[in-house]
Every structure is written in structure tokens, then in C-alpha cells.
Amino acid sequence: MTDPLLVELLELARTAAARAGALLRDGRPADLGVAATKSSPIDVVTEMDIAAEKLITGYLSEHRPQDGFLGEEGASREGTSGVRWVIDPLDGTVNYLYSLPTWAVSIAAELDGERVVGVVEAPMRGETFHAVRGGGAYVNGTALRVRPAPPLDQALVSTGFNYVATVRTHQADVAQQLIPRLRDIRRGGSAAIDLCDVAAGRLDGYYERGLHPWDLAAGDLIAREAGALTGGRPGLPADGDLTVAASPGVFEPLQAILEQLGAWHD
């Protein structure tokens, strides 16, 4: 990679994610509680989500004061540089609240509206995933590649569920109809880590409805740079209606079944 701007953005994202990850790992209070709720009483924010986002935005602002931000916990700023940072300071908050290890810091950089850098820091795994547009995907410096595609009925696929009860009920119906057509379904609780696990060949595919830009920005780039196909409904990019990521050969049949089952609506 020789583009000095992309080198700079990657290093800033890696440092910010590492610092936020260390804060979350080492600074978690023993009596951690819920600071606020979002879409429902079980869609929670902790004081640590807020502290991690403040750390990330402060660090990035110090080094690139003209950039914009979009963060899960409210960071929003229009920039003038053409660069926007898309930040999930703690993806997997409920896991974190319960001391489960599947949570991550996710930071992506967009240049003129296109994702060019993605970093996902998973402190409890000791893993840092990163990708640069056109430069491949890596974990702890080792190149990533998706698994060779199995037949769909031998594919291991992950998903997630919304925190709104009515939406989650429909998602459970979709999963119930889908699971007989797969090897099995996993539910990890962090979209960023699920996307990275597709990139690392630990999953054959992943799908979820209701993601926000900060949930998928970094992980989507990492998955694609590792050879995965990603999208939403047929012919559309990954978005809040539906996000699908899978090995070539699994992607299209999985996407087609999800369309048939109505995974894109509540």
C-alpha cells in the first residue's frame, strides 16, 4: 500500500481502536450498569460505550480536525476534508455487560463516500482485523481468505436478532425456516465480529436485518477484501433492510432464500 492518505487513515484507526479496546477491557467497572436504552429496554448503552466513543473521536479530531464523524453514541460532525469516520465504540454491548467475550471496537474511514479503511479490534480474542480498499484483509498481520464455498446445506451461517420484540419474532420465524437448509446457525452478538469471522473462514456466511452504518462499515470492507461477497436484497448493497456476507457460491443461494423468506422486512 503506497497511498499516503490511506496509510495515515489506517494507522489512526488502528491506534484509536487499540486504545478504546484497552479502555474497555481494562477499565470495565465491576458494577457496570446500563446508562441508557435505545430502541427498547434491552437495547442498552453503558457508560463505557460513551467513554470509548469520546476517546476515539478525541484522538481522531486531534490528528485530523477537518474530518467528519458518524458514531453510534451520538458523535456526528460534518467535515470538510472528504473523510468521514464511522464508529461503533462497542459492538456487542450486551455481551460486554454480561462479561461475555464477543465484543469489538469498529472504526471505518470513508473517502468521498466510499469505504477505504476498516479496523475491528476484538480485545478478548487478542485479534485486530484490518482492511484497506484494494489491499486485502488481515488479522494480526496474517492475510485472510474466506473458506471454499460448500453446498448451502453444509454451510455454517451466523445471524443476529433485533432488540424490538415484534421484529425479533419475525427474525426467529425466518431462522426457523432457514436452519433446515443449512449445516447450522450461530448467534454471536456482534455484527462486526461475525463479518470478520466470514473473512477469516470461520463462518461460511452471515446475515442480519436492522444494522446501522456503524455496525457494518468496517466489517463489510474486511469481508469483501478477504474475498467474500456482500450485499443486501438482490441487486442492492448491504443496508438496514438486510446485510448478507458469504463466500462466493454461498452468497447467492443464501441471499435468494432470505429474499423468499422475507428476511428484509419486519
Side-chain angles (χ1 to χ4, degrees):
M1 184 176 60
T2 58
D3 186 320
L5 175 58
L6 297 188
V7 171
E8 178 188 6
L9 297 179
L10 175 61
E11 290 310 307
L12 288 173
R14 291 177 67 173
T15 301
R19 292 185 179 187
L23 171 70
L24 291 164
R25 182 193 62 220
D26 301 334
R28 184 187 185 281
D31 60 347
L32 180 68
V34 174
T37 60
K38 292 181 281 189
S39 62
S40 80
I42 55 174
D43 184 7
V44 300
V45 181
T46 71
E47 62 192 86
M48 298 302 292
D49 297 66
I50 298 165
E53 184 162 291
K54 184 176 180 181
L55 183 156
I56 293 165
T57 56
Y59 177 80
L60 296 175
S61 293
E62 177 184 349
H63 289 83
R64 292 188 55 86
Q66 305 306 315
D67 292 353
F69 292 112
L70 176 65
E72 180 174 17
E73 307 311 334
S76 180
R77 185 176 80 191
E78 293 294 328
T80 59
S81 65
V83 172
R84 183 176 76 157
W85 299 94
V86 184
I87 302 160
D88 192 338
L90 177 49
D91 186 56
T93 299
V94 173
N95 284 348
Y96 183 77
L97 180 64
Y98 280 78
S99 297
L100 292 169
T102 306
W103 54 268
V105 179
S106 175
I107 303 175
E110 298 174 343
L111 178 60
D112 298 326
E114 183 177 355
R115 290 175 200 142
V116 293
V117 166
V119 172
V120 173
E121 177 83 10
M124 305 309 290
R125 290 183 170 196
E127 292 182 327
T128 303
F129 298 85
H130 80 265
V132 175
R133 181 187 62 190
Y138 298 83
V139 59
N140 295 351
T142 299
L144 294 172
R145 201 67 193 166
V146 296
R147 289 175 64 86
L152 189 63
D153 63 1
Q154 297 176 31
L156 183 64
V157 173
S158 183
T159 192
F161 297 100
N162 198 280
Y163 290 111
V164 176
T166 54
V167 178
R168 188 167 48 181
T169 298
H170 178 63
Q171 290 173 322
D173 290 340
V174 170
Q176 182 182 30
Q177 296 177 73
L178 181 62
I179 196 168
R181 311 187 195 192
L182 305 172
R183 181 186 296 276
D184 206 350
I185 286 181
R186 296 288 183 266
R187 197 277 197 254
S190 165
I193 288 180
D194 281 340
L195 287 162
C196 289
D197 279 347
V198 171
R202 299 166 182 166
L203 295 167
D204 297 302
Y206 162 72
Y207 76 94
E208 189 164 350
R209 170 164 167 73
L211 296 185
H212 298 281
W214 48 79
D215 295 313
L216 63 90
D220 180 86
L221 180 62
I222 292 165
R224 285 191 285 110
E225 287 294 328
L229 299 179
T230 72
R233 297 185 67 188
L236 297 175
D239 60 16
D241 285 340
L242 186 64
T243 294
V244 185
S247 304
V250 171
F251 178 82
E252 287 189 3
L254 177 61
Q255 185 187 50
I257 291 174
L258 293 169
E259 177 74 9
Q260 175 190 345
L261 296 177
W264 46 273
H265 65 75
D266 300 338

